[in-house]
Amino acid sequence: MSLVELIAQADERGLAASGLACLDRCVPLLGGDDETLRPLWTSLGDGAGAGEWTERLEQTRGKLDGAATGDQAALLAHRMLQAAPAERSPAEVRVWADACSVASLQIHRLLDTCEDEASSVDARRKGRTEGMSPLVAAELRRQVTVLEVLAGHGPAGLRRALEVSTEGRRVLRAVVSRRSRQRS
């Protein structure tokens, strides 16, 4: 199933986790660490109160708001954070998750040293993967995995979704570090 189809079929929690996972993998561009988005992940669990997402999102924005400067990849990551819906309504979260998917793939495309042969990331999201650059391919796999895990395991899949995001965040942090060393 393509990424577009998985997003279309996801429930509200899966969509929120999908968008959050994309943002989480890109948090190194905003100067965040491994724990920056952990409170938001916690707010997706079964025991979380209705207002926890909103409160924790505002706290996260406060921590990362100063990171609005930088190159195009950092600006895309900042837009993901700013576009996060204050309330987790299914319609708003669906739009956000879809936009985060596109932005995250675009960020990985911008940072990849290998060229991606597709004219846009939309082709990748629809399942056309020939000539895909390695960094974009890995991000696409992570997005699909997060949605599949959550669809198959519900709230119990949150831990695995977070693990997938942590792995991706570390990869992107290494890419960002390498780029900054090359520029120096």
Side-chain angles (χ1 to χ4, degrees):
M1 195 176 305
S2 75
L3 180 58
V4 171
E5 293 167 325
L6 287 168
I7 290 172
Q9 293 181 4
D11 64 7
E12 177 265 329
R13 184 188 329 254
L15 292 167
S18 176
L20 183 56
C22 289
L23 178 60
D24 197 1
R25 288 188 295 276
C26 296
V27 85
L29 295 167
L30 300 175
D33 62 26
D34 287 352
E35 298 300 314
T36 302
L37 298 180
R38 184 75 63 152
L40 281 170
W41 280 102
T42 303
S43 72
L44 296 177
D46 276 339
E52 285 187 47
W53 170 267
T54 304
E55 180 182 325
R56 292 174 180 181
L57 177 61
E58 287 309 311
Q59 291 170 353
T60 301
R61 283 179 175 153
K63 289 178 190 173
L64 296 175
D65 200 35
T69 60
D71 60 12
Q72 187 177 0
L75 290 173
L76 284 169
H78 189 262
R79 284 185 197 143
M80 276 194 274
L81 175 62
Q82 293 308 310
E87 304 224 356
R88 282 184 14 211
S89 72
E92 288 184 40
V93 175
R94 185 171 307 282
V95 170
W96 181 61
D98 194 57
C100 286
S101 169
V102 171
S104 185
L105 286 167
Q106 186 61 35
I107 287 167
H108 284 77
R109 185 177 182 166
L110 289 167
L111 297 176
D112 204 330
T113 56
C114 299
E115 190 168 326
D116 191 328
E117 294 176 12
S119 60
S120 75
V121 295
D122 289 333
R124 302 312 185 198
R125 290 171 22 98
K126 292 176 182 171
R128 294 190 293 273
T129 58
E130 57 281 340
M132 192 168 12
S133 65
L135 201 58
V136 174
E139 173 58 13
L140 181 65
R141 278 192 306 275
R142 287 184 189 97
Q143 288 187 27
V144 167
T145 300
V146 164
L147 286 163
E148 287 176 344
V149 164
L150 291 163
H153 302 285
L158 285 171
R159 180 179 300 278
R160 176 67 182 130
L162 180 57
E163 290 169 359
V164 169
S165 289
T166 299
E167 171 196 345
R169 183 178 345 104
R170 289 180 181 145
V171 168
L172 194 68
R173 183 171 284 122
V175 169
V176 169
S177 177
R178 185 176 60 234
R179 280 186 78 198
S180 69
R181 282 192 311 270
Q182 290 172 344
R183 288 181 180 170
S184 300

